[in-house]
Amino acid sequence: MEIWNKAALLKLLWAIAFKRDKLWVKWVHAYYIKRASYDTVRVSTQWSWILRKIIDTREWLQNIGGWQVLSTGNKFSIRKTYKLLRGEFDRVQWRRLICNNEAAPKSKFILWLGLQNRLATTDRLSLWGVNCSTTCSLCRREDESVYHLFFLCNYANDVWQGLCHSLRFARISSNLHDIIEVAKRQARKKNGKLFVMAVTECFYAIWRQRNSQIFANTVLPNSTVIRDVLFRIAVRSPEEIR
């Protein structure tokens, strides 16, 4: 958002520089810039906050390379400006699981936290100094981590495989990298949306049962959880579930 705001301010500076027919631009030139130029005028503390911010973007403009790199066909391109200000970054491998995902927002948020290893699993809580048992609350066999909870836990594994059977998917891998690779391939197929939604809602369902076991000492049967996931998918995308 900060970078996008800078790009938007540069668009306003472009207007001051080249859109002399605009009424607000005429007002800026008449009362503030006067006989000077936008790139040489001295900014005064008497100016409004927003106008000072706009004129101060002259430094960003020089660092980027001038108007010629920000324009397309003599028109300002806020998209090109944003990309130049942001810089080049490699695309994250899990983008297919988050972008264009029609699952519930809270389900996508839990999945995103899981992909970032930012869920408050007991292995992380213990590192924060929280006095708690690190054993998985669902299977009671191994220490709880994001990788164990969603892929190695017997309870979670039964939910995954039952859901895949219901949706006629191949057995899902216990390796997160493999799931991401499958999602990337499935996203290009007709039923790819269904696979991505299933992964997302299953993540959320397992997380809910984990919390229910810890805080309420109750956990639903696998079959009930699977039906709930199928229902959530059907509500948000009924044509896919058919």
Side-chain angles (χ1 to χ4, degrees):
M1 293 302 296
E2 181 180 356
I3 297 175
W4 182 259
N5 185 59
K6 290 181 178 180
L9 287 173
L10 279 169
K11 183 177 182 179
L12 295 176
L13 185 66
W14 167 279
I16 292 176
F18 300 105
K19 296 290 185 178
R20 294 295 184 91
D21 57 324
K22 298 289 185 179
L23 181 59
W24 75 271
V25 173
K26 291 181 179 180
W27 176 76
V28 168
H29 279 277
Y31 288 93
Y32 294 97
I33 298 179
K34 298 180 180 180
R35 297 181 180 179
S37 174
Y38 77 94
D39 55 348
T40 59
V41 66
R42 183 176 180 180
V43 178
S44 171
T45 56
Q46 301 298 319
W47 291 13
S48 65
W49 173 83
I50 184 61
L51 184 57
R52 294 200 305 270
K53 286 291 185 180
I54 295 172
I55 300 300
D56 285 343
T57 58
R58 295 176 299 188
E59 297 182 6
W60 305 339
L61 181 63
Q62 293 176 359
N63 295 334
I64 292 176
W67 293 123
Q68 61 273 16
V69 301
L70 303 182
S71 58
T72 301
N74 295 324
K75 292 183 179 181
F76 182 85
S77 173
I78 194 170
R79 180 178 181 179
K80 183 184 292 187
T81 304
Y82 172 76
K83 288 184 176 181
L84 288 172
L85 289 171
R86 185 190 61 183
E88 296 294 333
F89 295 94
D90 294 333
R91 290 186 176 183
V92 293
Q93 294 299 312
W94 43 260
R95 68 186 185 278
R96 294 290 184 184
L97 286 173
I98 300 298
C99 299
N100 301 322
N101 188 340
E102 295 188 4
K106 55 186 175 183
S107 301
K108 290 191 289 185
F109 182 65
I110 293 299
L111 174 61
W112 181 79
L113 288 178
L115 293 171
Q116 303 299 315
N117 194 26
R118 290 295 184 268
L119 287 172
T121 48
T122 54
D123 63 330
R124 299 188 70 229
L125 292 175
S126 62
L127 293 177
W128 299 341
V130 178
N131 185 17
C132 63
S133 172
T134 59
T135 305
C136 175
S137 58
L138 294 177
C139 69
R140 305 290 184 183
R141 292 187 177 183
E142 299 180 25
D143 287 348
E144 181 185 90
S145 64
V146 168
Y147 184 69
H148 169 81
L149 177 63
F150 292 103
F151 302 105
L152 299 181
C153 174
N154 291 339
Y155 180 91
N157 186 64
D158 290 342
V159 173
W160 281 115
Q161 304 313 330
L163 183 63
C164 289
H165 176 75
S166 299
L167 296 176
R168 299 180 182 179
F169 288 136
R171 289 177 63 87
I172 199 164
S173 172
S174 60
N175 187 301
L176 181 59
H177 175 74
D178 292 342
I179 293 176
I180 293 174
E181 289 300 316
V182 172
K184 289 165 62 177
R185 295 194 299 269
Q186 290 288 341
R188 297 180 177 90
K189 298 180 180 180
K190 184 177 181 180
N191 65 341
K193 184 193 303 182
L194 180 60
F195 179 83
V196 172
M197 289 180 65
V199 170
T200 307
E201 295 296 351
C202 196
F203 249 77
Y204 179 65
I206 294 171
W207 183 248
R208 285 185 63 189
Q209 294 309 307
R210 176 261 189 193
N211 290 340
S212 178
Q213 179 63 46
I214 291 176
F215 299 109
N217 197 30
T218 60
V219 61
L220 296 175
N222 296 332
S223 57
T224 304
V225 175
I226 294 170
R227 286 198 302 270
D228 180 64
V229 171
L230 292 174
F231 175 77
R232 293 174 66 85
I233 296 174
V235 168
R236 303 191 68 83
S237 186
E239 69 282 357
E240 294 290 336
I241 202 66
R242 296 194 189 102

